[in-house]
Amino acid sequence: MSPRPVDGSDLSPGRRLFAGYACDPAFYDEMFERGGVPRPHSRNLWEALDAMPPEAAAGLQERAERSFLHEGVTFSVYGEDGAEERIIPIDVFPRIIDAAEWAIIERGLRQRLEALNLFLADVYGPARILADGVVPADLILNCPQYRPEMRAVDVPHGAYVAICGTDIVRTHDGFLVLEDNLRVPSGVSYMLANRRAVRTSLRNLFRRCRVRNIEHYGRLLRESLSELAPNGATEPTIVLLTPGVYNAAFYEHMFLAREMGVELVEGSDLLVDDGRVYMRTTRGPRRVDVVYRRIDDDFLDPLAFRSDSQLGTPGLFSAFQGGNVALANVPGTGVADDKSVYSYVPDIIRYYLAEEPLLANVETHLCRDPEGLEFTLDNLDRLVVKVVGGSGGYGMLVGPHATPGERAAYAEEIRRDPANFISQPVLDLSCAPCLTGEGAAPRHVDLRPFILRGRETRLAPGAFCRVALKPGSLVVNSSQGGGGKDLWVLAE
Amino acid sequence: MLSRSAQGLYWMGRYLERAQHGCRLLTDQMEAIEDQPVDQVDRRWRRIYTGLGRAPLAGGLESSRGDDVFMLVDAFTLADDLTFEPNNPDAIRSCLAAARENARQVRNLIGKDMWSRLNVAYLELREAGITEIWKDRPAEFYVRSEDAVRAFLGIADSTMYRDAGWHFLELGRFVERAQALASLLDAQLAVFPSAEPNVESAWHSLLRICEARMAYRRLHSVEYQPHTVVDFIVADTRLSRSIRHALGRVSESLEAISGGEPLAPEASRRVGRMAARIDDGWPRRDPDDDSSARSVLQEIRQSLWDLDADITSAYFDYDVRDRLPEAG
């Protein structure tokens, strides 16, 4: 059952866990400065971990994995033998972000989400930014995620994106935003599950390090969603709409419904009548005010979007258009996290807020531009090329790791439809120590904090820290061998 | 509460009760194998299979007649069929898997401790197999499995908020219990007619399965009179595994769920009629003639099927449009 057995058998007793730890200086190390001196904020953590007998560390790891299995912190993988439940891999060594670093991230995320919501209100409204030529109009209007149905829909508080999960990486140059996930971002339950498992394992250390609390995320989410209720209802009925128990993220849907104390509904539990949304309860139909939907736009409503969808509820979108129900996130937010639009986000921030971006973007080349295309094709062996509408790391070319044949084939695909591709340099993602069969070893990490927006913006001081568990791998996606770590944001 | 959640809790209750009933039947049967004559063991298998309405595997019962070796081989096959057979939806493992699937649907409504207990029980049972349990005393395996279900129900009892969710879980458990007992009693009378002498052990085992032996001894006698045993398991409201007790619990939960409103009037009336039938007319019969008792038991079984349909159409599967508020 364990995806990554660390039984301690390869660790000789008495050997210090960090004895063989060596981070390539090409990468920023989250725990150590150059020369192997622990960073000031990591000193407590390092001392505790390094002094830990290898068997004890393996025991903690085993206990965390067992608790995930028993509690069902799992996702389903479908293979030839039917569905198999796997636990979300966890590494018990926490990653630390100190107060000053977190302040930068938090301010940057607030700024970014503010600008992106203004951008969405604009492109589905007066479209000034397109008229002013800051973002090319055809890029937006031809984007498959652009939903003309959203024009002239009044969105409460301009909260087009009510829940955002932004991927941030760290390099020697500081923090960079890798991706804005503005549609149906997932992973926040793992932020909380990792915290619960690791806090139990390392409770004394946790207390000593003065880690900021994230347990109130469910309350923040519920408050944000409540503020979106139509007609200012003060005690709105909120539901979480899931594709169902077979969805890979079902654990998270269940978890969030429980944390918020709201019903977990499927599309068939809802019904739209006379522009109002009801759910089927044991005491008859009950009116629903806010739907936190974890179903993609395409499947939300067979009358408005894909007609073959079995997951959604017919008429849901028109009820939303009529102002009778709130959807979070609203349909059509994908136009702002499209990988081509991404490269314009710094300009978008400057345009709406007249401020410089606090968090930088990764250098991005759009193949829809002739210069971008030429640069990409000329440097394929040093670049990562991504499909514009893709996600989850699928359909991506990691140039340096590809064979010349693979690169040539991919180049053909790019030439066939350049607008569908962007390229970025291979990022030197920072490393953090992980527990392996050979003791502590560096693995690449990123982080995904979750930012909420109702009437105001809310943020829990934490993130789902993703880690590439394979040595040397830069791919942190859980669908491709990635796992999670607890992320400790320290108090001042 | 959400209809689908209520349905999930109801079926979770039914499957848990079914799993527990299976454990109790097999605990008893495994002990019978240790100390009962072959023909008695054989008849008890018939009782189990008749009660579950399942056809035994081809020839499974016939071949065992009078031959100890065959009997044990068959016991292995039959126990496997009732415990692990993936194509048997009433096998203990299938029931526990179904209970867990339903629990997964309603995990946001049940506590973490409840879920973990059930999940661990399932994960353990998933790893088990007839060959392994046969190496040791199989009866102990069934006791352990039943304990897992009981532990889950104990956690539920001591942690769940007594809202409709709790009562749908109870409703499922006790509808299933009444159904299982009515079937078991009917099968008992079919296989061990009351008029037949010298089958004390079969009545002793029935009382054990119904957790009724000690109470019966204190109340009645150390001699088991078939009609008194049947009456006890049908009608005594103080016996947790009696039909009448189960109906009382069903009735209480139906009332709590409807909260005084006429949400499922047909279900309430039906339970009332069943209870009244037992309270008023049940015991008066010729002690050696089982036909009237069996026909009432069969009526009760049918009524319980209908009750399930009443509950489903009142709470889970009604047409929403019929019950929308008037426009405007």
Side-chain angles (χ1 to χ4, degrees):
Chain A
M1 227 27 225
S2 158
R4 195 169 60 98
V6 180
D7 58 8
S9 56
D10 297 338
L11 295 168
S12 39
R15 187 184 134 139
R16 296 184 84 81
L17 275 176
F18 281 82
Y21 187 86
C23 183
D24 183 337
F27 305 107
Y28 183 94
D29 190 286
E30 297 287 340
M31 185 178 269
F32 298 102
E33 293 170 1
R34 251 169 227 199
V37 183
R39 297 181 188 279
H41 64 60
S42 293
R43 181 160 289 283
N44 280 334
L45 176 64
W46 172 76
E47 282 173 358
L49 296 181
D50 193 45
M52 192 180 284
E55 319 81 71
L60 293 182
Q61 176 70 31
E62 206 234 14
R63 186 161 78 179
E65 289 178 5
R66 197 174 50 228
S67 80
F68 273 22
L69 180 63
H70 288 182
E71 286 170 33
V73 187
T74 55
F75 62 104
S76 305
V77 182
Y78 295 93
E80 285 170 6
D81 303 331
E84 187 196 338
E85 289 168 40
R86 293 209 194 134
I87 64 166
I88 312 300
I90 175 176
D91 178 83
V92 283
F93 288 1
R95 169 184 176 185
I96 289 185
I97 299 269
D98 76 14
E101 290 171 331
W102 180 256
I104 296 169
I105 291 173
E106 173 164 355
R107 291 205 334 266
L109 289 171
R110 285 173 180 272
Q111 177 196 52
R112 200 165 168 107
L113 184 60
E114 182 68 18
L116 287 167
N117 269 318
L118 290 169
F119 171 70
L120 285 160
D122 191 14
V123 299
Y124 290 121
R128 286 191 299 122
I129 198 166
L130 307 184
D132 290 343
V134 177
V135 176
D138 68 311
L139 180 65
I140 300 304
L141 302 177
N142 296 334
C143 174
Q145 308 302 326
Y146 180 76
R147 303 277 177 196
E149 303 90 335
M150 280 301 298
R151 282 194 293 238
V153 176
D154 185 34
V155 174
H157 313 300
Y160 285 76
V161 177
I163 300 105
C164 167
T166 305
D167 290 340
I168 296 177
V169 299
R170 192 212 296 256
T171 70
H172 282 300
D173 301 329
F175 292 110
L176 301 173
V177 172
L178 182 60
E179 233 173 71
D180 302 288
N181 293 291
L182 308 177
R183 301 174 207 186
V184 189
S186 67
V188 76
S189 60
Y190 306 138
M191 164 176 99
L192 292 160
N194 289 341
R195 169 61 55 87
R196 286 170 193 181
V198 170
R199 188 186 49 200
T200 314
S201 298
L202 301 172
R203 52 191 174 279
N204 293 333
L205 182 63
F206 184 83
R207 179 171 288 279
R208 204 156 61 236
C209 286
R210 302 183 62 225
V211 182
R212 290 182 67 189
N213 184 30
I214 52 174
E215 285 294 323
H216 58 305
Y217 179 81
R219 175 169 61 74
L220 298 182
L221 180 58
R222 183 162 177 159
E223 285 167 359
S224 300
L225 292 170
S226 296
E227 289 170 2
L228 303 177
N231 314 319
T234 46
E235 292 288 331
T237 300
I238 301 169
V239 297
L240 193 151
L241 175 60
T242 173
V245 70
Y246 300 106
N247 186 270
F250 181 77
Y251 168 77
E252 174 152 314
H253 305 161
M254 180 286 300
F255 178 91
L256 291 174
R258 195 176 65 192
E259 291 292 304
M260 288 194 286
V262 304
E263 296 290 358
L264 178 62
V265 305
E266 296 179 7
S268 57
D269 297 323
L270 298 180
L271 171 113
V272 180
D273 183 81
D274 196 24
R276 295 183 173 83
V277 181
Y278 299 89
M279 63 175 154
R280 182 202 302 268
T281 79
T282 53
R283 306 188 77 81
R286 174 161 166 209
R287 183 82 187 271
V288 171
D289 303 300
V290 180
V291 179
Y292 175 23
R293 50 92 175 205
R294 297 293 301 255
I295 294 182
D296 292 340
D297 286 3
D298 276 345
F299 298 98
L300 200 53
D301 177 353
L303 298 181
F305 307 116
R306 273 178 60 164
S307 58
D308 60 343
S309 169
Q310 306 284 314
L311 300 175
T313 304
L316 185 56
F317 185 70
S318 72
F320 165 72
Q321 276 178 313
N324 289 324
V325 70
L327 292 176
N329 293 341
V330 307
T333 53
V335 73
D337 73 3
D338 176 273
K339 289 189 173 64
S340 306
V341 176
Y342 162 85
S343 65
Y344 291 95
V345 174
D347 293 330
I348 289 170
I349 293 171
R350 292 183 194 101
Y351 183 80
Y352 293 109
L353 303 178
E355 295 171 1
E356 276 305 302
L358 298 168
L359 289 172
N361 259 21
V362 177
E363 167 196 330
T364 302
H365 309 277
L366 304 185
C367 297
R368 72 195 295 274
D369 300 333
E371 317 87 75
L373 176 62
E374 192 185 337
F375 180 85
T376 301
L377 292 173
D378 289 351
N379 296 281
L380 220 44
D381 56 339
R382 323 189 276 112
L383 294 173
V384 176
V385 190
K386 296 175 179 174
V387 178
V388 165
S391 67
Y394 292 105
M396 171 169 116
L397 178 85
V398 182
H401 296 171
T403 63
E406 285 166 346
R407 285 200 294 267
Y410 207 90
E412 263 318 296
E413 283 188 48
I414 298 173
R415 280 195 200 90
R416 212 174 296 133
D417 185 11
N420 198 29
F421 295 90
I422 58 124
S423 66
Q424 294 171 335
V426 177
L427 288 176
D428 40 354
L429 255 59
S430 63
C431 287
C434 287
L435 181 62
T436 74
E438 289 83 44
R443 294 287 184 268
H444 294 293
V445 291
D446 78 352
L447 68 149
R448 176 180 289 182
F450 292 84
I451 315 100
L452 305 171
R453 172 64 201 272
R455 195 185 310 117
E456 53 187 272
T457 304
R458 296 176 174 85
L459 189 62
F464 176 32
C465 172
R466 300 189 299 176
V467 49
L469 293 170
K470 286 182 229 156
S473 169
L474 290 163
V475 184
V476 295
N477 302 76
S478 47
S479 52
Q480 311 206 12
K485 270 169 128 26
D486 190 16
L487 184 114
W488 289 5
V489 174
L490 304 188
E492 294 288 341
Chain B
M1 74 186 308
L2 196 66
S3 292
R4 191 171 42 78
S5 304
Q7 194 168 19
L9 287 160
Y10 173 79
W11 279 102
M12 186 169 91
R14 290 204 67 155
Y15 281 118
L16 282 168
E17 182 69 26
R18 202 173 292 179
Q20 193 180 3
H21 185 66
C23 290
R24 300 188 66 80
L25 291 174
L26 283 155
T27 303
D28 176 73
Q29 188 67 5
M30 293 304 111
E31 293 184 355
I33 288 172
E34 291 171 359
D35 65 2
Q36 292 295 310
V38 174
D39 68 314
Q40 285 300 313
V41 172
D42 177 81
R43 292 173 80 189
R44 288 207 205 168
W45 279 120
R46 278 171 209 282
R47 177 180 69 189
I48 291 178
Y49 272 89
T50 310
L52 296 176
R54 180 172 173 81
L57 302 173
L61 294 180
E62 305 310 321
S63 65
S64 63
R65 280 276 151 100
D67 183 327
D68 279 19
V69 176
F70 271 119
M71 181 194 83
L72 290 174
V73 171
D74 287 339
F76 178 90
T77 312
L78 296 171
D80 187 28
D81 179 47
L82 297 177
T83 312
F84 299 111
E85 171 54 45
N87 294 319
N88 177 4
D90 294 331
I92 293 167
R93 183 158 65 188
S94 308
C95 288
L96 213 56
R100 175 177 177 268
E101 268 315 296
N102 279 289
R104 216 143 81 95
Q105 294 267 3
V106 295
R107 256 186 81 184
N108 55 317
L109 304 177
I110 63 178
K112 197 180 77 178
D113 296 340
M114 276 175 75
W115 162 260
S116 297
R117 192 68 203 84
L118 184 55
N119 193 35
V120 170
Y122 165 78
L123 294 174
E124 282 170 5
L125 197 58
R126 197 183 56 176
E127 303 303 321
I130 192 72
T131 317
E132 292 81 67
I133 71 168
W134 220 255
K135 284 179 190 153
D136 202 358
R137 275 192 80 216
E140 279 169 18
F141 165 81
Y142 292 106
V143 170
R144 256 200 329 275
S145 300
E146 190 192 356
D147 277 348
V149 176
R150 286 200 277 221
F152 173 84
L153 293 170
I155 296 171
D157 182 61
S158 59
T159 60
M160 271 184 93
Y161 186 63
R162 293 320 199 243
D163 60 2
W166 162 259
H167 286 289
F168 276 108
L169 175 64
E170 288 270 292
L171 195 56
R173 284 180 63 205
F174 287 101
V175 167
E176 181 69 28
R177 181 171 298 181
Q179 185 67 268
L181 290 171
S183 310
L184 176 65
L185 286 171
D186 191 28
Q188 173 87 10
L189 294 174
V191 177
F192 301 100
S194 301
E196 185 186 336
N198 298 328
V199 281
E200 184 174 318
S201 73
W203 293 96
H204 175 103
S205 115
L206 178 69
L207 283 167
R208 259 194 79 188
I209 291 168
C210 299
E211 198 80 72
R213 205 173 39 169
M214 287 198 334
Y216 182 88
R217 279 183 190 156
R218 285 210 307 273
L219 263 136
H220 298 285
S221 155
V222 288
E223 274 177 56
Y224 304 122
Q225 290 169 321
H227 77 279
T228 322
V229 172
V230 171
D231 290 354
F232 190 46
I233 296 170
V234 169
D236 196 309
T237 52
R238 294 161 301 183
L239 176 65
S240 168
R241 289 183 185 278
S242 80
I243 296 178
R244 186 60 185 83
H245 177 83
L247 291 176
R249 300 285 287 263
V250 167
S251 178
E252 278 169 32
S253 284
L254 281 174
E255 199 157 311
I257 289 165
S258 68
E261 284 178 58
L263 293 177
E266 192 45 50
S268 302
R269 276 199 292 273
R270 204 182 293 282
V271 178
R273 281 198 299 270
M274 278 188 269
R277 183 99 167 99
I278 292 171
D279 295 343
D280 302 338
W282 169 261
R284 285 183 288 279
R285 67 180 193 278
D286 172 359
D288 285 344
D289 179 9
D290 295 330
S291 59
S292 63
R294 289 195 62 195
S295 95
V296 175
L297 287 168
Q298 283 158 18
E299 251 174 64
I300 289 175
R301 292 186 62 190
Q302 183 57 48
S303 290
L304 287 162
W305 283 111
D306 297 339
L307 175 66
D308 178 83
D310 294 337
I311 292 168
T312 301
S313 62
Y315 290 115
F316 309 150
D317 204 20
Y318 61 86
D319 190 339
V320 180
R321 291 190 191 277
D322 291 347
R323 292 174 60 180
L324 285 169
E326 296 298 317

